[in-house]
Amino acid sequence: MTTQSHKNTVPHMKWWGWGVEGVAFNHRDKPNFRPFVLDQVGVDVDVPGTPPPAFEEIDVPAPRIGEELLAELAEAVGEENVYTEDFDRVVHTYGKGLPDLIKVRAGHLPRAVDVVVYPGNESDVQAVLDAVVAADAVLIPFGGGSNISGSLTPPESEERPVVSLDLGRMNRVLEIDETAGLARIQAGVLGPDMEEQLTARGWTMGHQPDSFRHSTLGGWIATRSSGMQSDKYGDIADITRGLRAVQPGRMLVLRPLPSTSTGPSVREMILGSEGRLGVITEAWVQVHRLPENREIIAYLYPSWAAALAAMQEISTSDASPSVTRVSDDRETAFSFSTQKAKKGLKSTVQKGLFDLLERRGWDMDAVCLSYVGYEGGSARVKAEKAIVGKIVRRHGGIKLGSGPGELYDQKKFDTPYIRDYLLDIGAVADVSETATPWSNLLDIYNGTVRAAKDAYAALGVRGYIMCHLSHSYHSGACLYFTFAFPPATEKWEEQIEQYWKVKSAIQQSFVDLKGTISHHHGVGTEHAHWIEEDISEAGVETMVALLRGVDPSRNLNPGKVIPTHREW
Amino acid sequence: MTTQSHKNTVPHMKWWGWGVEGVAFNHRDKPNFRPFVLDQVGVDVDVPGTPPPAFEEIDVPAPRIGEELLAELAEAVGEENVYTEDFDRVVHTYGKGLPDLIKVRAGHLPRAVDVVVYPGNESDVQAVLDAVVAADAVLIPFGGGSNISGSLTPPESEERPVVSLDLGRMNRVLEIDETAGLARIQAGVLGPDMEEQLTARGWTMGHQPDSFRHSTLGGWIATRSSGMQSDKYGDIADITRGLRAVQPGRMLVLRPLPSTSTGPSVREMILGSEGRLGVITEAWVQVHRLPENREIIAYLYPSWAAALAAMQEISTSDASPSVTRVSDDRETAFSFSTQKAKKGLKSTVQKGLFDLLERRGWDMDAVCLSYVGYEGGSARVKAEKAIVGKIVRRHGGIKLGSGPGELYDQKKFDTPYIRDYLLDIGAVADVSETATPWSNLLDIYNGTVRAAKDAYAALGVRGYIMCHLSHSYHSGACLYFTFAFPPATEKWEEQIEQYWKVKSAIQQSFVDLKGTISHHHGVGTEHAHWIEEDISEAGVETMVALLRGVDPSRNLNPGKVIPTHREW
């Protein structure tokens, strides 16, 4: 089989990249993009690149799984929901991190999953999990497949059969408690499908990660996701009030509660557990009435330091916006480079404004673009805009208005497509995010940019690193870095090595400079190396105690979260 | 020794009851109190009661601890910080739950702690903990001693030496990060001492549990405390951004982070761990600038159903008050009964208002008193008061103004004193709190009141139960019940049995009717019986996996959180 089996209707992303077949980033209508990329990383995007191979070119190893376990899985979920075809196995072997994309394009499959099963309900999941544990096999839960931390891939050394459990058939909003603002939702639902079911009844969960279109509720919970509107709606850890998870031989049931003091929080153990404590089957999540008003306003700051100071002041002000985002000068320049050609008035207005700011003494290479979102009744929105406006002005910024904000809102889920486009033309790109106290934000930013640049220099490549502040909290914020460079080699193994040099420099900078190794992308295998430096060795030992107690034979997504040198 | 040894200056509450020696509840200046109590539970508060015994009357068993361990403890913290005197051991054997008070007054000490040690710093704590584990003894951390869930008392069957570790010397605010709004504070600091150190520099943590004056930061974290202002400042789980805890042979260090996605949350494992995962030595907590304005406004509703509906509407409105509290009719009547005699104008105004409401058709026996707190800039406070005011009126309520609010604010920490007063006159009283979704609030309220009344009837006693909504969340609220009755026996063992019948009926009602067994008082031994019904058997097994992995020989406060039939 070279294409997906269509025994069921669960949609998947491209086997070799992000998103839907036929949708891709395109620079043809963006006149500033080619000169920008040429200038910054020395790549000419007009030179034809190398598209991904056809699936037929990929050599997929045969499944290593016995008939007996296969029969038990078929018994558990129905034969029509068990897939051993190459295509399905490859789709379920990798997430969408940069190393995943390089490896899958190279047909590198040292340990593909052996079988993919699609349970239809909780008893199916329990039957699968129990069969896997009884057979001493391995189970890896799979949601939308958008993970970029290595959480979906079996360890290369894994000799036991590996079962990928795709939750895609469990995709319904089961119940809405309209008085409490709570919805009971199956874990396998994708973002758009879920929001469609909710908004049909006048509700929203408000959770909007970059991956929204291709990630699931269960995946968000299993990795501690955040979304663009988390300043208002909360991170997924706040949104998730109750859940159900299948553990070996038993069902974990946490009823929906606004708050509770019943010992160490089991809810907060399942959050972020990446399949290592069982399979999340459904959750009770907070939902909200669709807001009366919703506006995203763009602002421009003369410098990154001014922008960060303003963001911090907003976080302690009487305003509580739904979105607080600001890009550094490099990300701002990148954003401008991806603008479509402006014609007539629009072009004149923008040029006019920029000229004016320059005459006022702004360094237009240092400007930082910000988006702030407002939701609520008109009085509240008006009051908050006034508070924020005053803070923006106090820090030398200006308001650009709602036009760019609307554009941002329309395009906000498109960014991940650019990575595949860059890979085609021979450049690698990925992201790393951290969170740290406000007092430390500029330090960690400067240190991380320097670390990436040093790594580029050591590799002898021309690289780019840009950043935005994506979430504000009382005590600090999330910094979200994107980095890209054309590797100094055409061999895929060496490209991954070079990618790792840069990625490692960034992650090391995070822990060295008092940030966390991951704000909302989880740990997987990609960040596990630094987790001891983040939560201390004792923290990892505490976590191991928990994992080992629940899963003594390491049948549940082994090798994730815990560093390899800890051997758990 | 009959009084506390004064080798150090750590203050403690009365050995037999709440608070400071010399401070007590008094009904003499409250003319309505005697008739109210007589009418409701048939007790005449003017009949002289039985005060607690003198400490000399108590028979304290000798410590069961070897010289070797004592020497090691002295080595660890200094000889002057090791106490084996009877008085200190009794003070550290019980918290302040109703059974604690009855037992200690009765001199019932089947298993007193054997020694009390006062570490001065983290290395002292590490040395103590390691010595305890090496000797296979038991360590129980002790903060302010205000726990009402049995978390401080050794199991009666414990045969190993029991060491109470009093954190009271570790009471300093070590550092304030003024940019991030974070403070690093030692775990043993009492509420008022901590706030004094913070406010001296213009900051507040804003955490105000009823026990505030006699409880510590470490205790709040170890039990997942909430405070009266948690609607604004967050529960302690939100406030605590980083922490340090001593575990056997190692130091757990969680750096202060606004948010993180590093696997199952170790921070949320230590929160609520009640000493079972180690000893919390310090925490990084969120602090706030003292608010520009702070007001507490009293409102009155014609009925409990109207009050709850209004509170729910406030929780989804554009207002976000710092305090949302409303008492049911019985708690409102109780409040009025504790008013001091009003003279002249005040009395006339109140009577005038009540007469007016009666003429408007209000049933004055059904009215419910509410307090809502506002903090922030004057524009925000004004806007929020307007929003809340409108909601109150829509539900038939009226504004009483800031006078009663100020009074509430002054008296808010005094309530616990009343239990000792009642015990003196032969009545038992205690509290139970739950949290549940808004949709379920009236059901759980009605069911719990009925359950308590049924229990009173079965015992043949005249009991009282009253309630207030103490915290609002997006999806639900906390209901805080207080119950009191004169037991139908003078034998203390039977009094505890009768107390347990009522307490059990209430707790069972919580889990049966979709509430949690504890919103902010922790589990200890008093709530452990119901934890499986709250978080499911699998939830308890998951927790046991964690505890057993960290503390395989059960040296750390054994028997707490986990139900006895689970034997862990």
Side-chain angles (χ1 to χ4, degrees), chain A residues 332-547:
Chain A
T332 302
F334 172 78
S335 288
F336 288 145
S337 83
T338 62
Q339 282 184 332
K340 293 194 181 178
K342 282 196 170 59
K343 283 176 194 159
L345 187 62
K346 267 194 179 170
S347 162
T348 315
V349 168
Q350 180 167 323
K351 193 174 174 310
L353 173 68
F354 282 30
D355 288 349
L356 175 71
L357 292 174
E358 240 171 349
R359 282 198 300 275
R360 277 204 208 159
W362 284 42
D363 172 2
M364 294 312 289
D365 290 334
V367 296
C368 294
L369 182 60
S370 172
Y371 298 107
V372 178
Y374 305 91
E375 291 190 3
S378 51
R380 172 174 172 162
V381 167
K382 193 180 158 197
E384 297 203 331
K385 283 201 295 194
I387 293 170
V388 171
K390 217 177 263 180
I391 295 171
V392 170
R393 286 192 297 279
R394 195 177 307 142
H395 292 273
I398 59 155
K399 174 173 158 181
L400 294 181
S402 57
E406 278 165 31
L407 200 65
Y408 158 76
D409 209 26
Q410 287 162 24
K411 299 287 179 192
K412 63 192 171 189
F413 301 130
D414 293 345
T415 324
Y417 281 101
I418 225 168
R419 255 173 352 154
D420 298 311
Y421 166 91
L422 289 174
L423 265 185
D424 285 358
I425 59 170
V428 301
D430 215 339
V431 296
S432 270
E433 18 75 67
T434 187
T436 198
W438 288 110
S439 46
N440 194 43
L441 219 56
L442 207 50
D443 267 5
I444 207 169
Y445 171 80
N446 289 329
T448 302
V449 169
R450 200 180 318 116
K453 288 186 172 174
D454 288 351
Y456 293 144
L459 292 171
V461 299
R462 279 170 75 178
Y464 202 65
I465 179 163
M466 60 191 194
C467 177
H468 63 268
L469 178 155
S470 64
H471 302 79
S472 297
Y473 300 86
H474 171 78
S475 61
C478 167
L479 288 182
Y480 192 108
F481 292 88
T482 303
F483 57 98
F485 66 97
T489 170
E490 292 197 349
K491 293 190 185 149
W492 69 263
E493 295 95 332
E494 290 174 7
Q495 291 187 343
I496 290 184
E497 262 172 47
Q498 297 191 1
Y499 157 84
W500 259 106
K501 292 239 163 85
V502 181
K503 171 87 178 169
S504 299
I506 291 170
Q507 293 295 135
Q508 191 63 49
S509 156
F510 288 169
V511 288
D512 287 350
L513 299 173
K514 301 185 192 167
T516 181
I517 55 172
S518 180
H519 171 264
H520 58 266
H521 287 155
V523 183
T525 52
E526 303 296 276
H527 301 140
H529 175 70
W530 294 275
I531 192 167
E532 284 181 341
E533 291 182 75
D534 193 331
I535 67 169
S536 76
E537 279 185 42
V540 171
E541 288 304 319
T542 302
M543 212 184 266
V544 167
L546 169 67
L547 303 183

